[in-house]
Amino acid sequence: MGTLLEVKGLHTQFFTQDGVVNAVNGISYTLDEGETLGIVGESGCGKSVGVMSLIRLIPMPPGRVVAGEVWFEGRDLLKLDDDEIRQVRGNRIAMIFQDPMTSLNPLLTIGRQITEALELHLGMDKQQARARSAELLALVGIPGAEGRLDDYPHQFSGGMRQRVMIAMGLSCNPQLLIADEPTTALDVTIQAQIVELVKKLRDEIGMAIIWITHDLGVVAGLADRMIVMYAGFIVEESAVKELYSNPRHPYTLGLLGSLPRLDEERPTRLRSIEGLPPDLIDLPPGCPFYARCAYRIERCQRENPPLETIGPHHRVACWVDVNGVVA
Amino acid sequence: MSETTTMTNQQDVLVRVEGLKMWFPITSGLFQRTVGHIKAVDDVNFQVVRGETLGLVGESGCGKSTTGRAILQLYRPTAGHIFFGDEELTTMKGDALRKQRRRMQMIFQDPYASLNPRMTVGAIVGEPLEVHGIGNKKENRERVQELLRIVGLNPYFVNRYPHEFSGGQRQRIGVARALAVNPEFIVLDEPISALDVSIQAQVINLLEDLQSEFGLTYLFIAHDLSVVRHISDRIAVMYLGKIVELTDRNELYANPMHPYTVALLSAVPIPDPVIEEQRRRVILEGDVPSPANPPQGCNFSTRCPRVMDICRERDPEFKDHGSGHFVACYLYD
């Protein structure tokens, strides 16, 4: 399969009163056509900012993409003018967000919000767009789809609203769907519905997905490949099974160890990661995880380890081989 | 964790909830006439054994938080009885109730909203001591510092304000406040839901340590079954105002009886791609009905994959199907 997206050395900063926030600090990765990439990390690790930077949805000011290239379908998205990027957003690259209530306009009917994109990007007339909207709502499993086109967002439940968002996202047959914590606000049975729906649509339509989450559980059954972020850096990247069975960065190990598992017979004490993530305004000179790391050596304090390949499709940023050390 | 594998009759029951109903009126019109009720909690029965952790799980709006609050008499129940030890809380008022409140405390979900931003940490943690007239100023100051140390905070933080702390640290402040009056029973209402994964583990470990150190009894309310299974001895599953199943933590996972429990368990993702590949999900259709207008018969009948005719007519009884495995479902009659 061909490469769909290539991100090179992306840096995003926010210029605030308190100083420069280093939200994303030089991340590089690629995404193949039809591939599902999970990006995990905790609040403030840069997972959302990193992806919003790709499609230029960072509020400027205070934010700015200070360096990097984003190659998508033969063009660097960061060099496009406003009209050109608008043609890409919502058309070639679609997005769904965490909170389906705030991402929908409460004053417009659901039908109007879907037809807008169809008329704008695909040049459909009103009738065609309306018919297509009803099809899309049916596709994402909204019962009585046609009758619901004239309803407003508040008349839908949280799970149904997220379905509407997905229908909108898919309306222009995107090559890439960016999903930013789309199930975090939903109950677990509804989350399962949405995950199943996305899987089904992915297999039918063949789009690539970037799924951003803090939940290592949700992406385990969904992603082909995973990226773990910490303090604006990629600390580990690997095929999904390899990441869970052979995690090599101390932070990934810590994240997996701090998760209670539904299938644990006997409760073992959780291995929590002590301390807090570093201040992004005042990053330490060495490894950003140094202060919390159980495996740290002296070198980690001075030099930030680069992301290095340690196996097929497995990259880690760590000076220590965690398999060779007992923490 | 304590050993409470089988049922409770012989054991030391600390909290007994009988026929608890908590209905909120729906009013309408100029004179705020009551036109209906939100049946947030509708006839719930269970017991909490001294020293155990009872997990209460369910999805948003199932009534789990309302149940916790009604036990502590933060709401006055519409019907039912709540016994705390030998005392019946539901008939108590004023001073008598306040005296009992010393024995039970609550820890809230949102560590940002549950601490007064204008009070110092010292004042927040010390307030329960003041309210209950315990100790003098100097003693309380020492007690507050000791409490901060117990929850893993620097005792010299007494003069700082909540905004100077991270989410996990604020939750520790909330825990210190709850511990101030040496309670026997703590209701924890989604205490870790607002925290990041690595911080969640810190707080769970702290709660477990405190339980064994002070012999606390927990009612742990959460929507995340993995967390609840980790921390609880027994688990009660709620759906639309009712408990549908209650049993030992391992039994619930190994042998779930109620179709809702089965669906809920199958929906919880396991952080292991190999296991996820092989799992079969029971995907429930549709949404939870409104508690203002619950369906006739079993509340789950509108979404149940194994629904029968009787389920749409009469409400199944919540009863013991052997060694303390309680279920409300006609499949087992």
Side-chain angles (χ1 to χ4, degrees):
Chain A
M1 255 183 277
T3 302
L4 179 69
L5 176 78
E6 186 172 9
V7 179
K8 288 183 185 169
L10 187 73
H11 277 264
T12 305
Q13 297 180 333
F14 289 87
F15 298 84
T16 68
Q17 282 188 342
D18 300 325
V20 178
V21 178
N22 301 287
V24 176
N25 300 305
I27 59 174
S28 304
Y29 60 91
T30 61
L31 179 70
D32 283 345
E33 287 167 9
E35 186 184 28
T36 301
L37 175 69
I39 301 184
V40 293
E42 299 179 274
S43 333
C45 73
K47 56 189 191 298
S48 290
V49 171
V51 173
M52 292 304 128
S53 301
L54 307 182
I55 43 177
R56 310 243 303 265
L57 282 182
I58 298 296
M60 294 192 245
R64 199 158 81 215
V65 180
V66 293
E69 296 168 19
V70 178
W71 290 93
F72 178 79
E73 296 187 327
R75 293 189 291 179
D76 182 355
L77 298 185
L78 299 182
K79 296 225 165 64
L80 300 185
D81 66 32
D82 286 355
D83 277 344
E84 288 170 329
I85 189 75
R86 215 171 287 136
Q87 281 303 315
V88 174
R89 272 199 306 248
N91 189 4
R92 309 303 298 154
I93 302 180
M95 298 141 284
I96 51 177
F97 298 100
Q98 174 172 347
D99 185 347
M101 191 62 214
T102 52
S103 341
L104 290 167
N105 187 333
L107 298 178
L108 297 178
T109 63
I110 293 299
R112 182 70 200 109
Q113 297 188 54
I114 306 178
T115 52
E116 187 177 15
L118 293 170
E119 288 167 25
L120 190 73
H121 288 303
L122 301 183
M124 288 187 183
D125 66 32
K126 278 220 160 79
Q127 266 179 333
Q128 284 173 322
R130 197 176 158 86
R132 178 70 184 140
S133 301
E135 272 174 40
L136 285 163
L137 288 187
L139 180 73
V140 296
I142 291 181
E146 204 170 342
R148 302 220 60 181
L149 285 174
D150 298 318
D151 284 349
Y152 288 88
H154 74 268
Q155 291 167 294
F156 290 77
S157 67
M160 284 296 155
R161 275 183 222 135
Q162 198 57 284
R163 285 170 192 265
V164 171
M165 288 301 297
I166 294 172
M168 288 171 69
L170 297 180
S171 58
C172 300
N173 302 315
Q175 286 293 298
L176 172 61
L177 176 71
I178 293 175
D180 188 359
E181 305 242 15
T183 60
T184 305
L186 303 176
D187 274 318
V188 59
T189 58
I190 308 297
Q191 166 173 289
Q193 290 176 356
I194 297 292
V195 169
E196 284 307 307
L197 172 69
V198 170
K199 273 191 197 168
K200 189 184 109 203
L201 294 171
R202 174 186 65 185
D203 297 342
E204 283 173 21
I205 300 170
M207 67 205 165
I209 299 175
I210 296 180
W211 188 287
I212 302 168
T213 183
H214 67 278
D215 185 340
L216 279 160
V218 176
V219 280
L222 190 71
D224 301 311
R225 208 152 47 88
M226 300 277 290
I227 282 177
V228 181
M229 286 190 71
Y230 188 78
F233 295 93
I234 294 179
V235 295
E236 184 158 8
E237 179 193 339
S238 137
V240 64
K241 283 182 189 164
E242 169 85 358
L243 187 90
Y244 288 82
S245 62
N246 184 22
R248 300 292 286 272
H249 194 281
Y251 177 63
T252 316
L253 276 166
L255 272 186
L256 287 167
S258 51
L259 276 183
R261 285 177 58 145
L262 186 64
D263 55 348
E264 66 177 342
E265 271 291 309
R266 200 167 279 282
T268 46
R269 194 176 168 80
L270 299 175
R271 282 178 288 141
S272 65
I273 308 174
E274 295 308 317
L276 298 170
D279 184 353
L280 295 175
I281 292 180
D282 186 21
L283 280 174
C287 173
F289 192 58
Y290 174 78
R292 305 174 77 187
C293 185
Y295 297 85
R296 66 187 167 202
I297 54 172
E298 200 260 327
R299 186 179 188 186
C300 309
Q301 194 175 11
R302 282 181 286 113
E303 290 173 73
N304 192 9
L307 199 57
E308 295 211 55
T309 304
I310 58 156
H313 311 294
H314 198 163
R315 297 194 294 163
V316 180
C318 186
W319 295 123
V320 180
D321 177 5
V322 295
N323 283 358
V325 184
V326 180
Chain B
M1 273 200 198
S2 59
E3 285 297 319
T4 47
T5 42
T6 50
M7 222 6 236
T8 43
N9 285 345
Q10 314 85 333
Q11 288 164 313
D12 186 1
V13 173
L14 182 63
V15 179
R16 205 161 85 232
V17 177
E18 288 178 2
L20 177 67
K21 286 186 186 177
M22 190 66 233
W23 294 5
F24 297 97
I26 307 167
T27 55
S28 155
L30 184 59
F31 300 105
Q32 297 290 297
R33 205 163 43 87
T34 301
V35 292
H37 287 95
I38 300 272
K39 297 176 179 175
V41 178
D42 197 17
D43 196 8
V44 155
N45 299 281
F46 63 91
Q47 303 180 335
V48 190
V49 179
R50 192 181 289 276
E52 82 166 339
T53 299
L54 179 69
L56 192 55
V57 286
E59 300 181 277
S60 0
C62 72
K64 55 192 189 301
S65 294
T66 306
T67 302
R69 287 170 182 230
I71 290 175
L72 299 188
Q73 301 296 302
L74 298 178
Y75 299 133
R76 282 301 196 170
T78 311
H81 307 276
I82 288 157
F83 296 91
F84 189 76
D86 300 327
E87 315 276 348
E88 180 171 359
L89 299 179
T90 21
T91 55
M92 267 183 202
K93 283 189 198 127
D95 264 357
L97 184 58
R98 195 169 306 126
K99 256 187 209 134
Q100 292 301 319
R101 281 230 171 89
R102 263 183 76 167
R103 301 170 62 194
M104 44 194 181
Q105 289 289 311
M106 184 147 185
I107 294 169
F108 299 92
Q109 170 171 1
D110 188 341
Y112 295 83
S114 58
L115 302 177
N116 185 336
R118 289 163 187 259
M119 285 167 77
T120 62
V121 168
I124 290 170
V125 175
E127 194 178 23
L129 298 170
E130 222 172 277
V131 169
H132 290 288
I134 303 166
N136 59 35
K137 256 198 168 144
K138 184 167 168 291
E139 284 166 4
N140 285 356
R141 198 169 170 84
E142 281 165 16
R143 172 77 178 140
V144 166
Q145 294 197 334
E146 183 199 340
L147 286 162
L148 291 180
R149 207 174 300 122
I150 289 171
V151 298
L153 291 172
N154 187 331
Y156 298 105
F157 288 171
V158 282
N159 291 321
R160 296 200 183 176
Y161 288 88
H163 75 265
E164 298 174 70
F165 295 88
S166 68
Q169 289 173 323
R170 284 183 216 206
Q171 202 52 293
R172 287 175 194 266
I173 296 168
V175 173
R177 173 176 61 187
L179 291 177
V181 291
N182 281 321
E184 294 159 60
F185 177 58
I186 301 183
V187 173
L188 304 115
D189 189 1
E190 302 261 13
I192 58 161
S193 307
L195 307 175
D196 265 321
V197 182
S198 71
I199 311 297
Q200 284 189 357
Q202 292 176 4
V203 174
I204 292 175
N205 286 344
L206 172 70
L207 292 172
E208 288 180 344
D209 292 344
L210 295 173
Q211 179 170 42
S212 55
E213 194 175 339
F214 300 108
L216 297 168
T217 306
Y218 288 158
L219 179 67
F220 191 96
I221 301 169
H223 67 278
D224 183 338
L225 254 174
S226 321
V227 172
V228 169
R229 185 175 192 217
H230 176 85
I231 201 165
S232 307
D233 299 295
R234 291 187 305 140
I235 299 173
V237 181
M238 276 189 90
Y239 184 81
L240 201 61
K242 292 181 189 290
I243 293 183
V244 297
E245 185 158 4
L246 192 167
T247 185
D248 173 76
R249 61 184 288 279
N250 283 339
E251 169 76 4
L252 186 83
Y253 181 74
N255 181 26
M257 291 171 80
H258 198 282
Y260 177 64
T261 314
V262 173
L264 196 61
L265 284 168
S266 89
V268 177
I270 292 176
D272 185 334
V274 180
I275 293 177
E276 282 291 301
E277 225 172 47
Q278 291 154 3
R279 281 178 95 201
R280 283 258 196 85
R281 290 234 144 81
V282 182
I283 304 285
L284 290 178
E285 301 284 319
D287 288 304
V288 185
S290 160
N293 186 20
Q296 197 190 341
C298 173
N299 277 353
F300 190 55
S301 61
T302 54
R303 299 172 82 196
C304 184
R306 302 179 67 184
V307 65
M308 302 177 291
D309 288 341
I310 189 172
C311 308
R312 297 201 178 92
E313 287 158 23
R314 277 185 294 131
D315 209 7
E317 197 190 333
F318 181 64
K319 58 186 178 192
D320 194 345
H321 287 263
S323 57
H325 193 152
F326 288 80
V327 187
C329 184
Y330 285 118
L331 285 172
Y332 306 98
D333 279 355

